[in-house]
Amino acid sequence: MSKIIEYGIQCIKDEAEATLGLLGQIDESFEKAVDMMYHCHGKIIVTGVGKSGHIGAKIAATLSSTGTPAFYINPLDVYHGDLGVMTSDDVVLALSNSGQTDELLRFIPMLLHMNIPIIGMSANPKSLLAKYSTVHLKVKVEKEACPLNLAPTSSTTAALVMGDALAVALMQVRNFKPRDFAQFHPGGELGKRLLTTAADVMRIENMPIIPKETHLGDAIIEVSRGKLGLGVSVENGRVVGLITDGDIRRAMEKWQSNFFNKTVEDIMTRNPKTVSPSTKIADIQKIMHKYKIHTVLVVDEKMGLCGIVDHYSCML
């Protein structure tokens, strides 16, 4: 194994050990911090300087995308007007490995004056940040992954993991569901499946509608033309049945020479699976999986046929 590979492996080991070291640092303060954030009537304002600031920005993004309104602010910008975005309904999450960062500490008196609660996150429970925080989260690592033990590496990873722990705990407390997640990620695959409806993807043209009196020999032709492997029987504007190519094959095996004397009504499913136009694709996929089917009919409140959604339509 080359030295370069060894260096990489050692770095990963050091950061993994630093992360595991957090297990002994989560205590009642963590629970209090989550409670403060959960009951916050305003926003979670995450702040930090330098590398802590970069980590803080990611934590804010994770909180926002999982149901907790949050954004990152640089303490230096506060002195130039950004203080105006803060109210006493907010909660500040302040990151500093030492807990003694000058730019951050100059920000603290403003927060205290505005009665804004502070969740401090640092390695030093005796730091000024810890002293003036409403709740302090200890995030301490034994050493940095940096061979000089100087560059923020393990410490920033640990801070990021603690931030993720806060976000995940809040998700659990809020009973945050995939549908909620999709609302904050409408552009992703999950968002598309959870927000797209049957009306968005259903086939509405050249639908294979076959009268129930149709003989099966003719029905085969119509099912083939429809290219969906099925035919829908509609009577007086209402769906009354469904046949599939599988139904036709089984009928041929059962009746053989008498097959061509039978009609759609003899083999159709009289209560096919249906959904409304507003049904989400994710829910349609669950129906297909549960009943082991590949197609559902989209109907209105009077069982009028609006469209057809097949398995491929759900592959967003």
Side-chain angles (χ1 to χ4, degrees), residues 25-256:
Q25 299 180 52
I26 292 187
D27 53 20
E28 293 82 4
S29 294
F30 181 85
E31 187 172 0
K32 291 178 181 177
V34 171
D35 186 68
M36 283 173 58
M37 297 169 81
Y38 176 68
H39 288 99
C40 174
H41 296 297
K43 310 167 293 295
I44 306 299
I45 300 172
V46 187
T47 188
V49 179
K51 303 296 189 298
S52 292
H54 295 305
I55 297 301
K58 193 276 177 184
I59 292 174
T62 299
L63 289 169
S64 290
S65 68
T66 53
T68 301
F71 67 89
Y72 169 76
I73 189 170
N74 190 314
L76 300 177
D77 293 331
V78 172
Y79 309 120
H80 301 282
D82 283 6
L83 186 65
V85 303
M86 300 183 188
T87 72
S88 57
D89 289 331
D90 299 332
V91 171
V92 166
L93 174 61
L95 283 68
S96 169
N97 187 43
S98 67
Q100 299 289 127
T101 306
D102 182 63
E103 297 91 339
L104 186 62
L105 293 179
R106 285 191 288 148
F107 179 27
I108 300 298
M110 304 178 191
L111 301 177
L112 298 176
H113 177 72
M114 297 176 67
N115 293 316
I116 298 176
I118 304 168
I119 299 172
M121 186 187 297
S122 77
N124 185 1
K126 296 183 179 180
S127 64
L128 288 175
L129 175 60
K131 178 180 178 180
Y132 290 107
S133 293
T134 311
V135 173
H136 180 258
L137 300 176
K138 180 182 176 183
V139 181
K140 184 177 182 179
V141 300
E142 293 301 319
K143 64 174 182 176
E144 298 287 3
C146 165
L148 303 177
N149 198 30
L150 294 175
T153 44
S154 297
S155 59
T156 49
T157 298
L160 181 60
V161 170
M162 184 63 80
D164 285 343
L166 290 170
V168 169
L170 282 164
M171 290 176 69
Q172 297 284 3
V173 173
R174 295 185 191 283
N175 195 28
F176 197 78
K177 299 295 185 182
R179 186 180 303 276
D180 303 312
F181 186 86
Q183 291 178 349
F184 297 102
H185 300 78
E189 179 183 348
L190 175 65
K192 289 180 181 177
R193 285 194 293 109
L194 292 174
L195 298 179
T196 302
T197 66
D200 296 322
V201 300
M202 66 186 184
R203 174 172 168 176
I204 59 176
E205 296 179 352
N206 300 319
M207 289 188 290
I209 297 176
I210 307 174
K212 64 181 183 180
E213 299 84 8
T214 305
H215 284 90
L216 293 182
D218 295 325
I220 292 175
I221 298 173
E222 295 302 320
V223 169
S224 178
R225 283 177 181 170
K227 298 181 179 180
L228 288 174
L230 56 81
V232 184
S233 286
V234 177
E235 188 174 58
N236 297 323
R238 291 172 51 86
V239 172
V240 295
L242 172 76
I243 63 168
T244 66
D245 49 9
D247 294 329
I248 294 173
R249 288 195 301 272
R250 286 185 289 272
M252 292 179 70
E253 182 179 2
K254 177 180 179 180
W255 286 309
Q256 298 183 12

